[in-house]
Amino acid sequence: MAKGAAVVLAILAVPFTTAVAPPPSQGLQWQQCAKIAEGWANGEASECATVRVPLDYRQPGGRQLTLAVSRVRASDPAHRQGVVLVNPGGPGEQGTTFPDELTRTELAGIGRTHDLIGFDIRGSDYSDKILCPELDPANVPRPPATATAEQRFKTQAKTVADRLRTCAEKDPDLARSMTTADVARDMDVIRRALGEEKIGYFGNSWGTALGATYRSLFGGHVDRMLLDSVLAPGEAVARSDDQTAASEAHFDDFTRWLGERDATYGFGSTGPAVSEAVLALRSRLAAQPLADRDDHWANQQLLAPRADWATAAQALAAARDGKPPTTTAAPASAPAGNGFDVGYRDGEIGFVLAAVNCNDSPGARDIDQAWEHGRELAARYPVAAYEPGGDARCAGWPFAPKPTELSRGSSPLQLVGHEFETNTPFPWAREMQAEVGGALLTVADDVHSSFAHLPCAATGVEFFTTGATSNGTCSG
């Protein structure tokens, strides 16, 4: 998922009500990716090709888009079982690099018996897209320091909304077509171009919405499907409040953890006592910052991932005692690249996120209402909603949303949910299971899309090999 962006996206999954003629079948002309872009990180391991798909599936003979596709062949061709299409999420994270990345994870065993197939979704990366450098945060002017929090939020939201509209109007037909349902239809074109009757699929984060949509539209062409860090079914872009609530619950867990370690950190012996102490520290740092440590820094520590709790606790204790700063909890680094030969562009990923979000779901389109709702959340969730603002991600989007519904399927489906996660909260996985079926494996961690990097990913390899699902638990 893109850094700093809320990972809440609607899921489109109902076919057009009118008959849709499929685009003509086509083969794929593979060549080593390194021959396309010298020095591409996974060029030696992957083969690359392009496929043509209709811009509008109701007019399959009209304008066509070119999509980039990659392949890592099965390492044991004598026992090859088929293909597994993969998607890393986003929407808009680099898809063509993902097969090679998976070969260096605990899910690498899938690639022994299956070709791993990646692709850059329409509008992104090395596929046909709309370039939108205007949305790169580095290119969005900041309000003056004298502005109030409300003025800062509304000014920036208005600037981004205007630029989002401008970017969409560069190619309105392509912008309007960037939906989860049409990406799923693109997947089926890739399936036919590969000459496969059925495909396996593995997706992370938004990739779970894509997988569930494909299974709803083309269930008869699904072999096995594994979805990690599952989005809620339906208009999930309107569910960002769930993420805020999960983050506040995460803070509550942290205070209980600190209470159990009062002898070490000295913030109190119970969760409520710790909460009072750390919020008082945050208020003190707001009034009297310590060098590079202020209330916003303190709030970041209060929401640190579980793996960083000890580090965050030490940093908070040092600030409380007026000691020099210690190593503090910090967000993970941003992706290193997003194209065969193109550097990572925040503006590009920002446009894809907004386009799919706002085409799929009504989202938040009124800036004033977004600010007021943000203030309501701050009253309920004093840590998770501490930073002033709101969710106005779809303000400025010029097209009406086209929400649809998912349906249940009969093909083997393995869902993976993370018990303490705040990006795609665990209840979303249960909702998806109730909506589309399948088994649900529970991972006891708070790390988004971590399954591929855990020893229990062996159950995923087994699933693609035999179809065996699990409703058990897994250590994170």
Side-chain angles (χ1 to χ4, degrees):
M1 208 105 211
K3 192 66 189 173
V7 191
V8 280
L9 301 164
I11 301 172
L12 300 184
V14 170
F16 295 116
T17 54
T18 56
V20 179
S25 183
Q26 56 192 300
L28 296 175
Q29 302 299 315
W30 297 102
Q31 58 182 309
Q32 278 198 329
C33 296
K35 294 179 180 178
I36 295 179
E38 184 178 356
W40 187 42
N42 70 345
E44 294 301 322
S46 299
E47 298 171 292
C48 288
T50 58
V51 65
R52 302 279 282 172
V53 300
L55 172 73
D56 184 344
Y57 278 88
R58 285 165 290 202
Q59 301 178 39
R63 178 181 167 188
Q64 303 290 297
L65 301 175
T66 299
L67 305 184
V69 182
S70 68
R71 174 176 68 178
V72 174
R73 291 176 181 265
S75 60
D76 185 1
H79 297 92
R80 181 183 180 277
Q81 293 180 248
V83 303
V84 174
L85 271 67
V86 299
N87 182 274
E93 291 288 352
Q94 178 79 48
T96 45
T97 58
F98 199 42
D100 180 65
E101 291 167 10
L102 286 175
T103 66
R104 295 187 291 275
T105 71
E106 299 293 332
L107 285 178
I110 299 174
R112 185 180 71 84
T113 53
H114 294 81
D115 297 345
L116 301 179
I117 308 295
F119 64 103
D120 296 337
I121 69 170
R122 59 171 61 202
S124 76
D125 303 306
Y126 214 60
S127 295
D128 283 349
K129 60 188 175 184
I130 300 171
L131 291 177
C132 192
E134 299 96 317
L135 288 178
D136 189 324
N139 296 330
V140 178
R142 292 180 173 275
T146 56
T148 66
E150 181 176 1
Q151 289 170 337
R152 287 196 301 272
F153 169 75
K154 291 184 176 180
T155 298
Q156 286 201 287
K158 176 66 164 56
T159 299
V160 171
D162 290 344
R163 293 183 178 206
L164 181 61
R165 182 183 298 107
T166 297
C167 291
E169 290 172 349
K170 291 178 181 180
D171 189 341
D173 291 334
L174 175 53
R176 189 183 291 110
S177 81
M178 292 169 63
T179 68
T180 306
D182 273 340
V183 176
R185 295 182 176 101
D186 293 343
M187 280 177 54
D188 204 59
V189 175
I190 294 171
R191 175 193 65 79
R192 288 187 286 111
L194 291 166
E196 300 286 343
E197 179 61 26
K198 291 190 174 186
I199 59 172
Y201 178 82
F202 168 67
N204 288 328
S205 192
W206 173 79
T208 68
L210 177 59
T213 300
Y214 183 84
R215 190 168 178 264
S216 297
L217 290 171
F218 303 103
H221 294 297
V222 176
D223 181 19
R224 294 157 189 166
M225 182 174 289
L226 193 157
L227 308 177
D228 180 30
S229 282
V230 182
L231 267 69
E235 298 169 15
V237 71
R239 301 283 298 273
S240 59
D241 288 9
D242 293 350
Q243 296 173 309
T244 307
S247 292
E248 195 74 18
H250 182 85
F251 164 69
D252 293 339
D253 288 345
F254 181 40
T255 61
R256 284 191 290 270
W257 182 90
L258 277 170
E260 294 167 357
R261 293 157 179 80
D262 184 40
T264 301
Y265 302 111
F267 283 105
S269 59
T270 66
V274 170
S275 179
E276 182 179 355
V278 296
L279 293 182
L281 172 62
R282 186 181 69 179
S283 296
R284 193 181 87 194
L285 291 173
Q288 298 176 318
L290 294 173
D292 57 349
R293 292 172 289 172
D294 60 9
D295 55 320
H296 302 289
W297 168 88
N299 209 70
Q300 182 186 63
Q301 309 312 305
L302 299 181
L303 294 173
R306 288 172 181 258
D308 292 339
W309 276 357
T311 300
Q314 291 167 4
L316 290 166
R320 176 198 61 202
D321 300 337
K323 295 180 179 179
T326 62
T327 302
T328 61
S333 59
N338 78 329
F340 293 168
D341 55 359
V342 181
Y344 186 82
R345 295 176 179 171
D346 283 340
E348 179 183 318
I349 190 77
F351 182 75
V352 180
L353 282 165
V356 178
N357 259 327
C358 306
N359 280 328
D360 280 6
S361 169
R365 301 184 183 229
D366 186 283
I367 293 172
D368 290 336
Q369 289 180 7
W371 170 259
E372 292 304 320
H373 185 60
R375 296 306 82 214
E376 294 170 6
L377 289 178
R380 283 186 294 177
Y381 307 118
V383 175
Y386 182 66
E387 301 297 335
D391 179 5
R393 76 187 69 197
C394 292
W397 189 249
F399 311 119
K402 299 181 289 185
T404 52
E405 297 178 354
L406 296 174
S407 61
R408 296 181 74 86
S410 58
S411 58
L413 174 63
Q414 178 68 67
L415 307 177
V416 179
H418 298 258
E419 188 174 4
F420 309 112
E421 197 190 330
T422 61
N423 199 352
T424 52
F426 185 71
W428 288 2
R430 292 202 180 279
E431 290 183 40
M432 182 67 85
Q433 183 183 36
E435 187 83 9
V436 303
L440 175 58
L441 177 67
T442 301
V443 180
D445 71 4
D446 63 347
V447 183
H448 188 62
S449 302
S450 67
F451 182 64
H453 306 283
L454 300 173
C456 65
T459 63
V461 176
E462 176 69 14
F463 168 69
F464 279 107
T465 304
T466 69
T469 58
S470 172
N471 284 298
T473 59
C474 160
S475 298

